[in-house]
Amino acid sequence: MFNKILVPFDNGEKAHKALDTAIELAKKFNSEITILTSFDMSRFTLQLSYTSLGREIDERFHKDTEAVVNDAVEKVRKEGIEVKAEIIKDNPGEAIVKYAEKEGIGLITMGSNNRGTVDRMFFGSVSYFVLHNAHCAVLVIKE
């Protein structure tokens, strides 16, 4: 039913709950999981992007994001589930919808308000955007 499950992830509490839910579903449906993190730093570093400070901020953010995503990947791997990760520099809602369509994702499992420690990369209501624009099923975890 759900061969591929996409989990937008920012290390927030609801993102962790969405990941746990995706793991349980992947076990039941023998699915693979993709953990996707998307952020658009241009809002913050546009003015700084031409300076060494701007590049340093961007590089550090990306490195920290990789560490968070790698931890999530390891959690899924320990459950014996096939997993991969993607980090995309783009508007989160649009990146999630585009990725899901391009990769033939059957289910997106996400938190209702993904605001976590990865510098609040999911601004606004990303879940609302995804729910109304995704071509596949979307499961929004509220608590």
Side-chain angles (χ1 to χ4, degrees):
M1 181 174 215
F2 302 120
N3 294 343
K4 296 179 179 181
I5 300 173
L6 179 64
V7 181
F9 193 79
D10 72 343
N11 205 31
E13 181 182 340
K14 290 180 184 175
H16 280 278
K17 289 179 181 180
L19 182 60
D20 291 341
T21 301
I23 289 169
E24 293 306 312
L25 289 170
K27 288 177 182 177
K28 288 179 183 171
F29 294 107
N30 195 30
S31 309
E32 67 180 54
I33 292 176
T34 300
I35 298 169
L36 174 73
T37 296
S38 177
F39 58 91
D40 184 3
M41 289 295 289
S42 64
R43 297 181 202 184
F44 308 106
T45 61
L46 186 59
Q47 296 294 325
L48 297 172
S49 63
Y50 301 106
T51 68
S52 60
L53 177 59
R55 287 187 297 277
E56 185 178 324
I57 290 170
D58 189 57
E59 288 170 12
R60 178 66 186 181
F61 188 80
H62 196 271
K63 187 176 181 180
D64 291 347
T65 300
E66 283 179 339
V68 164
V69 169
N70 288 339
D71 288 346
V73 166
E74 283 308 308
K75 180 177 182 172
V76 176
R77 265 199 195 114
K78 285 179 182 176
E79 297 291 333
I81 299 166
E82 186 178 336
V83 61
K84 64 182 180 178
E86 296 287 337
I87 298 173
I88 299 173
K89 290 184 179 182
D90 195 1
N91 172 284
E94 292 174 12
I96 293 163
V97 170
K98 287 181 208 172
Y99 185 89
E101 188 167 354
K102 181 182 92 170
E103 296 296 323
I105 298 296
L107 174 67
I108 300 169
T109 303
M110 64 188 301
S112 63
N113 185 9
N114 284 329
R115 291 189 180 151
T117 58
V118 186
D119 264 5
R120 313 229 187 243
M121 71 186 76
F122 288 95
F123 285 102
S125 184
V126 175
S127 57
Y128 181 86
F129 181 88
V130 171
L131 189 61
H132 290 281
N133 291 285
H135 75 288
C136 62
V138 180
L139 175 60
V140 178
I141 306 302
K142 294 187 79 152
E143 294 184 32

